[in-house]
């Protein structure tokens, strides 16, 4: 960790670059190439992690690992952690008869354990109870206060303890439960119960940044700032209507568990103002000099659930504009995992334990399933152990059995006496089933990278699956171990299959890192030759390890 932190202060690869941002007075700054910075939301530790948390972690980890392969000399930072303040945590700790910090220590440790068990390559696990995070929150508060962007006022609205936020009349609905004589008011967006509250607290002039935010999201050529695109349309709709100022504190008498307002100990900083600043504190804000580029700012990709879109697409950018800081470059708002088409909840007893899933199937299979089934992001996805088992058999057959087929003694024996051939020779034989396989594996890395750029993780996996199906079919059609197959054809099939596996192994590293590593080890691919550029470069490996190599 210390090494990464020190490296962030050293220019990596000098480039001629200028940052252009119409929202700032200092709009042109010459910079060296900054580290790639990707974040997950920091998870609320009021309960143990579920499969949805693992899903978010894996999606962010795929992009972090991919960037390390694409540009090995560029540092990549992946931030995750826990959001530990707020009324919900305070009440949950009270129910358990614990102090809030002890309560958070216990559950936060489970989230940290999940990152380890899931092989998430995060460079920092940040807790909002960390001292350096408190320092960052106070610094931001004081800067905004000095600019006159924070003021004290009375606020009233519908408050949800579950969501930790206020809602306006237009954002709530009333319903009459069948077992109650009194109506219940809920958030239209989340379904959480809300109660009317009136209090005096501090307000952030969110409305002052409405036009700048709207312009930001509507600027031609910026249609992909939020993915999938319908979420950006939704944010534009919100910003096209009057935007109220944001309540950013709570009376200390009601909420004591949080960061105290620097200028008023009788108030506690609102949890969402506090939590959103973790993306700054996680890379050591406040920085000794302006810009933060050497530390990784701005964020290159934020991976979040669709339920917290407003906070990340409106509140955080407004705070950054107020600080004269660049906005995050892209936001990926994914859908949710359900169980039998129902939202996971403790009351229904349908919460999926990610630790159990990993123990039962192995982390690579779980990661593969999450990416293959959940990598389209548009609609909620239903968790199913039968589907997980189906996809386990798919990747085991297409990849694991493929490796065993070409390392079998009878396949290797069939190549004896063959003339020396290269992959270019194979490609020139248009009548051979091997030629399309060579064409396909040479195109794989670029196709997969294009899918990831479009934020289509499932499509990226599908590229690999299609190639493996094609390569397996070629072996079955050629049947190199049959006496009727010539040694030259068997050898051509052998080197085509080996090269296919090498390219596939490199390309699967972001998705199933352990299995991909085992595959590349079996192929004797040196560690330094496992980058994305090596997947785009033709090689011809003949040193396959014979015998059984178990990938999953």
């Amino acid at each position: 960790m210390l090494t990464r932190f020190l490296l962030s202060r050293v220019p990596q690869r000098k480039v001629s670059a200028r940052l252009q941002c119409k929202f700032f007075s200092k709009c042109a700054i010459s910079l060296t190439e900054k580290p790639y910075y990707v974040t997950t939301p920091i998870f609320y530790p009021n309960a143990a992690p579920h499969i949805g948390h693992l899903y978010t972690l894996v999606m962010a980890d795929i992009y972090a690992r991919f960037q390390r392969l694409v540009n090995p000399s560029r540092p990549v930072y992946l931030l995750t952690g826990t959001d530990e303040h707020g009324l919900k945590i305070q009440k949950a700790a009270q129910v358990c008869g614990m102090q809030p910090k002890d309560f958070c220590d216990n559950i936060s440790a489970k989230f940290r354990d999940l990152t380890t068990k899931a092989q998430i390559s995060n460079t920092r696990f940040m807790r909002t109870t960390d001292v350096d995070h408190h320092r960052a929150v106070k610094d931001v508060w004081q800067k905004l206060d000095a600019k006159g962007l924070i003021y004290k006022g009375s606020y009233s609205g519908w408050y949800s303890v579950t969501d930790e936020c206020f809602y306006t009349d237009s954002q709530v609905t009333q319903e009459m439960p069948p077992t109650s004589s009194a109506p219940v008011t809920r958030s239209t967006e989340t379904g959480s119960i809300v109660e009317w509250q009136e209090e005096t607290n501090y307000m952030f002039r969110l409305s002052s940044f409405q036009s700048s935010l709207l312009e930001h999201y509507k600027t031609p050529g910026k249609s992909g700032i939020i993915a999938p695109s319908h979420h950006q349309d939704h944010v534009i709709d919100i910003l096209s209507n009057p935007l109220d100022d944001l309540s950013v504190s709570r009376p200390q008498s009601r909420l004591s568990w949080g960061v105290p307002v620097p200028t008023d100990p009788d108030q506690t900083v609102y949890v969402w103002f506090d939590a959103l600043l973790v993306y700054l504190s996680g890379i050591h804000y406040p920085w000794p000099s302006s810009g933060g580029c050497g530390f990784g700012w701005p964020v290159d990709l934020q991976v979040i659930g669709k339920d917290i879109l407003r906070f990340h697409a409106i509140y955080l950018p407004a705070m950054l504009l107020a600080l004269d800081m660049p906005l995050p470059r892209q936001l990926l708002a994914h859908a949710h995992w359900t169980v039998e088409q129902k939202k996971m909840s403790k009351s229904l007893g349908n919460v999926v334990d990610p630790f159990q899933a990993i123990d039962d199937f192995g982390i690579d299979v779980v990661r593969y399933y999450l990416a293959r089934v959940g990598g389209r992001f548009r609609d909620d996805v239903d968790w199913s152990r039968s589907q997980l088992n189906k996809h386990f058999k798919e990747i085991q057959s297409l990849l694991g059995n493929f490796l065993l087929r070409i390392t079998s003694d009878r396949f290797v024996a069939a190549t004896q006496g063959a003339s020396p051939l290269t992959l270019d020779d194979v490609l020139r034989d248009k009548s051979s089933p091997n030629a399309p396989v060579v064409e396909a594996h040479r195109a794989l890395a670029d196709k997969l990278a294009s899918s990831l750029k479009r934020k289509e993780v499932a499509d990226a996996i599908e590229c690999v699956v299609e190639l493996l199906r094609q390569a397996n079919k070629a072996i079955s059609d050629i049947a190199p171990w049959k006496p009727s197959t010539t040694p030259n054809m068997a050898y051509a099939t052998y080197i085509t299959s080996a090269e296919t596996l090498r390219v596939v192994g490199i390309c699967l590293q972001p998705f199933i890192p352990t299995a991909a590593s085992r595959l590349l080890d079996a192929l004797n691919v040196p560690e330094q030759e496992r980058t994305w550029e090596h997947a785009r470069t033709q090689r011809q490996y003949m040193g396959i390890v014979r015998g059984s190599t178990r990938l999953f």
Side-chain angles (χ1 to χ4, degrees), residues 2 71 75 105 123 149 177 208 216 244 251 255 281 289 296 308 312 383-384 410 414 438 460 473 487 550:
L2 178 59
N71 191 346
D105 287 346
T123 52
L149 295 172
S208 299
H216 173 65
D244 294 330
L255 174 62
S281 64
S289 60
I308 52 176
H312 288 79
W383 175 269
S384 165
R410 63 174 185 166
V438 175
K473 185 177 184 302
R550 184 174 178 177

Side-chain angles (χ1 to χ4, degrees), residues 175-427:
E175 62 180 43
M176 184 65 72
T179 58
S180 175
S181 58
V184 172
T185 306
R186 296 181 181 273
S187 160
T188 305
E189 185 176 358
T190 66
S192 301
I193 294 176
V194 297
E195 297 178 351
W196 185 261
Q197 289 185 357
E198 299 181 8
E199 59 189 26
T200 298
N201 49 33
Y202 287 93
M203 309 291 294
F204 169 59
R205 298 188 190 277
L206 181 66
S207 58
S208 299
F209 302 96
Q210 179 172 354
S211 60
S212 293
L213 289 172
L214 186 58
E215 183 181 0
H216 173 65
Y217 289 116
K218 292 182 73 174
T219 299
K222 289 192 174 182
S223 58
I225 294 176
I226 304 176
S229 58
H230 67 272
H231 289 311
Q232 185 157 332
D233 296 337
H234 177 57
V235 170
I236 289 173
D237 287 342
I238 294 174
L239 292 169
S240 298
N241 295 293
L243 194 63
D244 294 330
D245 287 347
L246 178 66
S247 170
V248 291
S249 74
R250 302 290 181 264
Q252 201 273 344
S253 58
R254 187 163 71 89
L255 174 62
S256 58
W257 180 237
V259 181
V261 170
T263 57
D264 188 346
D266 292 332
Q267 293 274 326
T268 302
V269 175
Y270 169 46
V271 64
W272 269 110
F273 182 95
D274 160 12
L276 291 169
L277 296 176
V278 78
Y279 307 118
L280 298 178
S281 64
I283 50 172
H284 311 289
Y285 177 91
W287 303 302
S289 60
S290 62
C293 177
F295 295 84
W297 195 262
V299 178
D300 292 276
L301 177 65
Q302 292 189 282
V303 181
I304 63 167
K306 63 182 181 179
D307 55 323
I308 52 176
L309 179 63
R310 175 189 293 264
F311 304 99
H312 288 79
I314 297 177
Y315 297 170
L316 175 61
M319 293 157 61
L320 294 169
L321 289 175
L323 292 167
D324 294 334
M325 291 177 60
L327 304 188
R329 292 177 175 172
Q330 193 168 33
L331 190 65
L332 173 58
H334 62 66
H336 293 158
W337 284 84
T338 59
V339 178
E340 295 180 352
Q341 283 74 53
K342 294 180 181 178
K343 185 178 180 181
M344 283 186 286
S345 72
K346 289 197 296 183
S347 60
L348 292 176
N350 65 348
V351 177
V352 178
D353 181 357
F355 293 97
Q356 188 64 53
I358 294 170
D359 287 342
D360 291 346
F361 291 91
I363 184 54
D364 283 305
V365 174
V366 174
R367 286 176 65 116
Y368 176 79
Y369 177 61
L370 292 174
R372 179 123 167 79
V373 176
R376 301 201 187 280
F377 307 123
R378 295 169 185 79
D379 302 308
D380 289 348
V381 188
D382 205 53
W383 175 269
S384 165
R385 285 183 68 88
S386 63
Q387 285 295 308
L388 177 56
N389 190 56
K390 169 189 168 183
H391 286 89
F392 170 38
K393 291 179 179 178
E394 175 186 69
I395 190 62
Q396 186 180 49
S397 173
L398 289 175
L399 186 60
N401 291 347
F402 184 40
L403 175 62
L404 293 179
R405 292 177 83 182
I406 72 167
T407 57
S408 66
D409 289 339
R410 63 174 185 166
F411 194 161
V412 175
T415 67
Q416 300 303 309
S419 302
L421 290 171
T422 68
L423 289 169
D424 285 335
D425 294 329
V426 174
L427 194 59

